[in-house]
Amino acid sequence: QVQLVESGGGLVQAGGSLRLSCAASGLTFSVRAMAWFRQAPRKEREFVAAIGRIASTTNYADSVKGRFTISRDNAKNVVYLQMNSLKPEDTAVYYCATRSGPIATNAESYFESWGQGTQVTVSS
């Protein structure tokens, strides 16, 4: 059974940084694409970043390009999201997701397994 466990969320001031981690188990991690999505209060869940089976293949939402970096460690079965220059509008619950294919798509419907989420709050 696929299990994804996020960690690293918290409260940070605007301009600060956080690194989220997602530990995966119950799957062949190295062949799967991984992604981060987020959901702010009273908003729909939205794509943040994805990384393909090949770590050099990444995909970012326009709102986070240049500030967030997604990476993966296949030896540890972990995917990371380094978030810099955080803004209050980045406040959301951040979810890790995986799909059985290798491509770093931004389409939520392609991701079949999800974590429970970790809260990120950015104060102004």
Side-chain angles (χ1 to χ4, degrees):
Q1 182 177 355
V2 175
Q3 187 173 16
L4 303 175
V5 179
E6 303 96 336
S7 61
L11 173 64
V12 64
Q13 288 188 332
S17 298
L18 282 175
R19 188 176 81 156
L20 305 184
S21 300
C22 172
S25 60
L27 49 72
T28 305
F29 182 81
S30 62
V31 302
R32 285 173 165 260
M34 303 293 297
W36 290 93
F37 289 77
R38 67 187 181 186
Q39 187 167 21
R42 298 174 298 280
K43 292 188 177 181
E44 294 190 354
R45 190 159 56 188
E46 65 175 3
F47 170 77
V48 175
I51 186 166
R53 179 179 65 85
I54 300 173
S56 60
T57 304
T58 56
N59 189 359
Y60 294 95
D62 288 343
S63 60
V64 307
K65 279 181 182 175
R67 300 188 298 122
F68 291 10
T69 302
I70 189 170
S71 61
R72 64 190 299 158
D73 185 336
N74 288 343
K76 296 182 178 179
N77 284 13
V78 177
V79 61
Y80 302 100
L81 184 68
Q82 178 66 44
M83 306 186 294
N84 298 329
S85 302
L86 282 161
K87 305 175 181 180
E89 51 263 44
D90 294 318
T91 295
V93 176
Y94 282 71
Y95 296 92
C96 176
T98 184
R99 61 181 296 251
S100 57
I103 306 301
T105 179
N106 61 1
E108 183 175 341
S109 61
Y110 281 88
F111 291 88
E112 67 268 2
S113 297
W114 296 80
Q116 293 297 311
T118 185
Q119 176 70 47
V120 171
T121 303
V122 184
S123 63
S124 57

